[in-house]
């Protein structure tokens, strides 16, 4: 039974009843309801428990400011945590739960915290759980378990999200009276306009208003204007869309909650001009027990009555320090509720609305304040005191009035969030007692209530003004736009009332909540000041004021005022905390957009990928590349397959798809000069047709990348880079050419994808190529180690490199990627007689480690010089190159630097875990000095025992010393320091 | 997200660019002749101003050209972007 639903009125569709469930019980509402209005219609007033003290909480607001009704919506993988019931549109079958309270929201064990609430003062966790420090991890688990709000879904999100990039001339944030006027002006002038509003329909505060515009109800006017705006071709109207971020150069982000197959959409808008018209947020009044269910903002009360036809209480007390709340009293009155009293802290009372209230027979109590509330799970009454305006001291709360609804208004705060995010400051307006947008620093105009214009007439005017200013700045002609007529009432000014005096001392009275979501009270802020906090940002972090998902939209300003009072400063002197995006919480799903699963990152496959797949390869990701990891035969695991692949390569013939190596073509008359400065070796001395192993250093002298480079002609080179470093190296080379040495004529071209590389390695590799009628003589004389020839192989033009990353006699075949797959197949067929064995990255790693060849990025980590790798022979003394000067810095010359060594486990069987730390003395007191770590470690099938490479402080002077390798979860392993070259130290095989 | 003007391609979103650190730092002609302190000054020390900052940007997802940008580190306002060196577009 929707007991609180009014018989008529509202913008709901009574022909469309909707069933929903809340905390396991079934209810009914109507299309057009929010979850909050539907709950109120069903007289559900206890919605949740508070964060720290587990106090009963109800709905307090009607929009983005709601701090209490934060619910878990939906079930399973679709569930949405922490949604504001005030902004969840009711749908058939909707399921919602309270996010706090165990076993349930009505009976909550944690409410015991409230009994002992004096213990839970500001900084409680810091003060209580710091000792002994070793137990912090345990405490943290318990605290995190009892805190927090809703549950995150455990399964991947099955819904789709998307991002849209958009440009516009004018972006209008907010479709209330000011936003509509600005958008109308912009639309009529022919500008490209985006009008975004977080509500389900345009109108903003007009949807709860009975005001008249141009002689007709405001909502009619809204419909006419919104229809006209939507009719322009270049206008995009986004409903259910929150402008949540304002970034540099007028870049704004909007989340749109859609109804189609896309659940949410993120708009990323670059706007030439922005009009900010998000309106204002009503402030609470800070009296004792102001958090009880049934205490509600005046604007929310009007909204529930007029927009949703829901009467949230039968007998109300209205408590205010300004005129606006009188409207709520009139709305309550005309909806049939009894107004026990309007308690107005001002002795002057209200203007025109006050007269209307009196005419309606509503009792008004000027010069009074509500000091306390009775009732726990629902308001049952208030205590009232007469007040002379003194903020110090205590008052005598002698009047009791029974009621089930307390309607409060502490005035309005312009929603300056986006303005602040844009980088601009806010200015304190003493006459309005609020922060208003200060001077804009980006191309934006604030308008309407968000600009401190409260009356409807002012809002309409200010909206039109802002629209015209934005249009003029964007270079559009002034449109023909008349500001419609609206009434303007005589208003008595608001009198600030940041903290309501109580019958007790403010530090001892029942809780006066500033931040409902985080249970921060007046006493907490005052305590922080007594403990020495002065800065609002520090007080925020200490008391959690404004730290919740609502970011303190409601009572933050009161908190600042309470802080100012305690410090004896003014509010502008205390200032605001920083407003950061997002304005309201944004789901992770829409942040990720389409970039999930397969679309997270592009996948790169080599030209031979199909063959690898059909041959049962296991793959590993190397950057974006999918590379064959190993090729298991039936029944083989990784170790068995790798052992077989290694032995086959060493004994006869292996074949590797090395296409992912970065490949760069370098041409130009200054190619030698350029490469001399890049590589450490003497590039100029290289003969045409010869290859060299090259390393590049950063200017800090650390090894950055390595690879084979070949001189193809006087002015032409071919470089290879590591698979992962290809793009970075190309960028690095370009940066030097363009910024430092623009006088050099050199052209760099990436040919990584255009050419595929097939490595054939092993004693039979030469025979294999012979078999395929290789067009060049492969003998040592014509084709020595480290040389390159153009050739034809089985009729396919190729570039042949005699290089070896395995230590075996080996060739790398570069071939146009279009021919790579047939060539691979040809090699496989021809190699059958040599038992040709495809191998993957794992075997490649083992073979190179047996030879002591490092992998940059695995055996080095950005703090390793070529000297540390024992590569002095590669460092030219005759020229300068990038990083050379750094190698003679004192730190690089230390003899106790970590140096590349080999490691053998003493038991000859244990494979040391990669990443294990190396220590000298097991009995050394903590902190144990670290000698270094293990960077590569494998079982070598060839040698019949495990091998490892590592970096060890002063390692070369520690030959044959025993150290301990220790990794988490393992016993320490005794390991002997040896040469990093385990196999064929005299390089006889590759030169064979 | 910044809107950055590539001198060759025009205004594009920041996602198309990569940042290259402070601009206007010239590599010493003869590093061998520098003291350790002088070399370290070139290598590590940056002005890190509060206000106008000369920076290098690369249109990595576009024309791949490096260029200079003057950006305010407080307001993020980009006052100009410019061709490096002789200032001539090639």
């Amino acid at each position: 039974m929707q007991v609180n639903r009014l018989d008529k009125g509202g913008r709901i569709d009574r022909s469309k009843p909707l069933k929903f469930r809340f905390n396991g019980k079934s209810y009914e509402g109507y299309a057009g309801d929010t979850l909050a209005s539907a709950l109120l219609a069903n007289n559900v007033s206890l919605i949740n428990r508070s964060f720290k003290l587990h106090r009963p909480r109800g709905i307090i607001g009607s929009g983005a400011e709601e701090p209490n009704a934060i619910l878990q919506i939906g079930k399973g993988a679709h569930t949405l945590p922490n949604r504001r019931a005030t902004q969840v549109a009711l749908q058939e079958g909707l399921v919602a739960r309270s996010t706090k309270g165990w076993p349930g929201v009505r009976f909550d064990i944690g409410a015991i915290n409230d009994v002992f609430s004096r213990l839970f003062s500001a900084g409680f966790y810091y003060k209580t759980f710091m000792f002994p420090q070793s137990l912090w991890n345990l405490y943290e688990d318990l605290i995190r378990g009892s805190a927090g709000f809703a549950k995150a879904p455990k399964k991947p999100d099955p819904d789709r999200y998307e991002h849209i990039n958009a440009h516009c001339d004018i972006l209008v944030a907010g479709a209330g009276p000011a936003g509509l006027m600005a958008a109308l002006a912009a639309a009529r002038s022919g500008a490209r306009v985006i009008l975004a509003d977080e509500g389900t329909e345009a109108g903003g505060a007009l949807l709860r208003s009975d005001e008249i515009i141009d002689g007709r109800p405001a909502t009619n006017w809204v419909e006419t204007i919104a229809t006209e705006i939507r009719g322009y071709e270049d206008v995009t109207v986004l409903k259910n869309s929150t402008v949540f971020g304002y970034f540099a150069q007028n870049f704004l982000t909007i989340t749109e909650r859609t109804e189609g197959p896309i659940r949410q959409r993120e708009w990323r808008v670059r706007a030439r001009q922005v009009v900010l018209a998000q309106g204002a947020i009503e402030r609470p009044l800070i009296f004792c027990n102001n958090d009880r269910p049934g205490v509600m903002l005046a604007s929310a009360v009007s909204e529930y009555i007029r927009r949703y036809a829901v009467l949230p209480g039968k007998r109300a007390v209205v408590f205010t320090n300004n005129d606006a709340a009188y409207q709520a009293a009139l709305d309550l009155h005309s909806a049939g509720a009894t107004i026990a009293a309007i308690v107005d802290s001002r002795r002057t009372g209200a203007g025109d609305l006050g007269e209307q209230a009196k005419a309606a027979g509503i009792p008004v109590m000027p010069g009074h304040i509500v000091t306390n509330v009775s009732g726990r799970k629902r308001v049952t009454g208030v205590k009232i005191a007469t007040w002379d305006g003194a903020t110090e001291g205590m008052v005598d709360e002698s009047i009791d009035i029974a009621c089930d609804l307390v309607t409060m208004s502490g005035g309005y705060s312009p929603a300056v969030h986006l303005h602040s995010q844009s980088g601009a400051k806010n200015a304190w307006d003493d006459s309005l007692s609020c922060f208003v947008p200060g001077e804009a620093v980006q191309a934006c105009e604030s308008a309407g209530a968000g600009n401190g214009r409260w009356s409807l007439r002012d809002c309409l005017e200010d909206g039109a003004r802002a629209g015209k200013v934005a249009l003029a700045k964007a270079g559009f002609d002034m449109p023909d736009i008349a500001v419609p007529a609206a009434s303007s009432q005589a208003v008595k000014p608001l009198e600030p009332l940041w903290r309501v005096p109580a019958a007790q001392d403010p530090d001892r009275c029942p809780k006066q909540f500033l931040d409902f979501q985080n249970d921060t009270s007046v006493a907490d802020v005052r305590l922080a000041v007594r403990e020495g906090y002065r800065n609002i940002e520090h007080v925020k972090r200490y008391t959690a004021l404004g730290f919740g998902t609502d970011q303190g939209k409601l009572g933050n300003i009161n908190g600042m005022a309470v802080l100012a009072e305690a410090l004896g400063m003014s509010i502008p002197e205390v200032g605001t905390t920083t407003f950061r995006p997002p304005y309201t919480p944004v789901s992770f799903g829409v942040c990720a957009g389409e970039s999930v699963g397969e679309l997270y990152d592009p996948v790169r496959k080599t030209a031979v990928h199909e063959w690898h797949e059909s041959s049962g390869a296991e793959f590993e990701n190397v950057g974006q590349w999918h590379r064959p990891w190993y090729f298991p035969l039936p029944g083989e695991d990784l170790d068995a397959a790798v052992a077989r692949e290694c032995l086959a390569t060493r004994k006869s013939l292996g074949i590797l798809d090395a296409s992912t190596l970065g490949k760069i073509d370098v041409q130009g008359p200054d190619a030698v000069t350029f490469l001399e400065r890049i590589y450490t070796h003497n590039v100029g001395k290289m003969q045409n047709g010869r290859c060299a192993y090259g390393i590049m250093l950063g200017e800090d002298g650390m090894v950055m990348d390595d690879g084979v480079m070949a001189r193809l002609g006087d002015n032409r080179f071919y470089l290879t880079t590591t698979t992962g470093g290809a793009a970075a190296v190309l960028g690095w080379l370009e940066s030097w050419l363009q910024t430092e040495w623009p006088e050099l004529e050199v052209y760099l071209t990436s040919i990584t994808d255009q050419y595929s590389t097939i490595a054939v390695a092993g004693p039979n590799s030469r025979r294999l190529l012979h078999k395929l009628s290789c067009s060049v003589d492969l003998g040592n004389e014509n084709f020595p180690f480290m040389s390159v020839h153009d050739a034809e192989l089985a009729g396919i033009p190729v570039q042949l490199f005699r290089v070896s990353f395995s230590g075996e006699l080996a060739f790398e075949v570069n071939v146009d990627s279009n021919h790579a797959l047939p060539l691979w197949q040809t090699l496989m067929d021809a190699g059958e007689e040599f038992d040709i064995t495809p191998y993957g990255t794992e075997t490649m790693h083992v073979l190179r480690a047996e030879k002591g060849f490092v992998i940059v990025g695995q055996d080095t980590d950005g703090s390793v010089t070529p000297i540390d790798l024992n590569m002095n022979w590669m460092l030219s003394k005759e020229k300068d190159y990038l990083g050379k000067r750094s190698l003679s810095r004192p730190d690089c010359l230390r003899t106790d630097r970590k140096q590349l060594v080999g490691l053998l486990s003493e038991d000859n069987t244990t494979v040391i875990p990669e990443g294990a730390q190396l220590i000298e003395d097991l009995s050394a007191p903590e902190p144990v000095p670290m000698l270094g770590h293990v960077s590569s470690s494998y079982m070598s099938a060839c040698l019949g025992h495990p091998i490892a490479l590592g970096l060890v402080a002063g390692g070369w002077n520690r030959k044959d010393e025993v150290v301990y390798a220790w990794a988490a979860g393992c016993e320490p392993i005794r390991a002997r320091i040896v040469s990093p070259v385990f196999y064929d130290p005299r390089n006889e095989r590759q030169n064979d | 997200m910044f809107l950055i003007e590539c001198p060759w391609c025009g205004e594009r979103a920041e996602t198309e660019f990569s940042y290259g650190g402070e601009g206007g730092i010239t590599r010493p002609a003869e590093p061998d002749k520098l003291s350790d302190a002088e070399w370290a000054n070139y290598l590590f020390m940056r002005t890190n101003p509060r206000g106008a900052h000369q920076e290098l940007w690369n249109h990595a997802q576009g024309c791949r050209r490096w260029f200079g940008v003057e950006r305010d580190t407080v307001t993020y306002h980009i006052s100009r972007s410019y061709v490096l060196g002789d200032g001539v577009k090639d």
Side-chain angles (χ1 to χ4, degrees), chain A residues 484-568:
Chain A
S487 66
S488 181
Q489 287 155 329
V491 174
K492 293 256 176 75
L494 165 148
E495 288 176 12
L497 177 57
W498 303 112
R499 172 179 72 76
V500 180
Q504 301 91 357
D505 180 83
D507 301 314
R508 309 222 161 262
C509 64
K511 295 241 170 225
Q512 301 172 306
F513 286 97
L514 295 162
D515 183 323
F516 295 72
Q517 198 170 94
N518 281 336
D519 282 339
T520 307
S521 68
V522 168
D524 290 330
V525 171
R526 292 168 64 92
L527 176 65
V529 170
R530 285 202 299 280
E531 292 183 357
Y533 289 87
R534 292 289 177 274
N535 184 301
I536 180 67
E537 296 283 2
H538 296 158
V539 171
K540 168 181 172 172
R541 280 150 186 82
Y542 190 57
T543 63
L545 176 75
F547 238 70
T549 62
D550 62 338
Q551 293 280 289
K553 288 189 178 62
L554 219 51
N556 241 20
I557 181 68
N558 299 75
M560 291 159 198
V562 168
L563 177 62
E565 182 197 10
L567 291 173

Side-chain angles (χ1 to χ4, degrees), chain A residues 249 699 738 740 885-886, chain B residues 27 34 36 39 42 66 76:
Chain A
Q249 281 104 33
E699 276 282 61
Q738 290 183 31
E740 201 69 37
R885 176 63 184 81
S886 288
Chain B
R27 187 171 197 268
L34 298 187
D36 285 337
W39 178 250
Y42 153 73
W66 285 90
Y76 301 146

Side-chain angles (χ1 to χ4, degrees), chain A residues 419-420 423-427 436-441:
Chain A
H419 173 78
S420 305
K425 295 220 170 357
N426 301 312
V436 294
E439 198 182 335
V441 297

Side-chain angles (χ1 to χ4, degrees), chain A residues 247-249 251 268 270 699-700 730-731 734-736 738-740 880-883 885-886 889-890, chain B residues 1-3 13 25-27 31-32 34-36 39 42-44 56 64-66 76-78 84:
Chain A
F247 305 90
Q249 281 104 33
F251 183 76
R268 306 147 69 102
R270 185 77 66 181
E699 276 282 61
D700 57 2
L730 184 65
E734 278 286 354
S735 73
W736 286 102
Q738 290 183 31
T739 67
E740 201 69 37
D880 186 32
Y881 50 85
L882 295 181
R885 176 63 184 81
S886 288
R889 295 177 64 229
Chain B
M1 179 168 24
F2 295 142
L3 187 64
I25 297 166
T26 307
R27 187 171 197 268
D32 285 352
L34 298 187
S35 68
D36 285 337
W39 178 250
Y42 153 73
L43 198 53
F44 300 121
L56 292 172
R64 287 177 47 211
R65 300 304 312 230
W66 285 90
Y76 301 146
H77 178 68
I78 293 176
L84 298 171

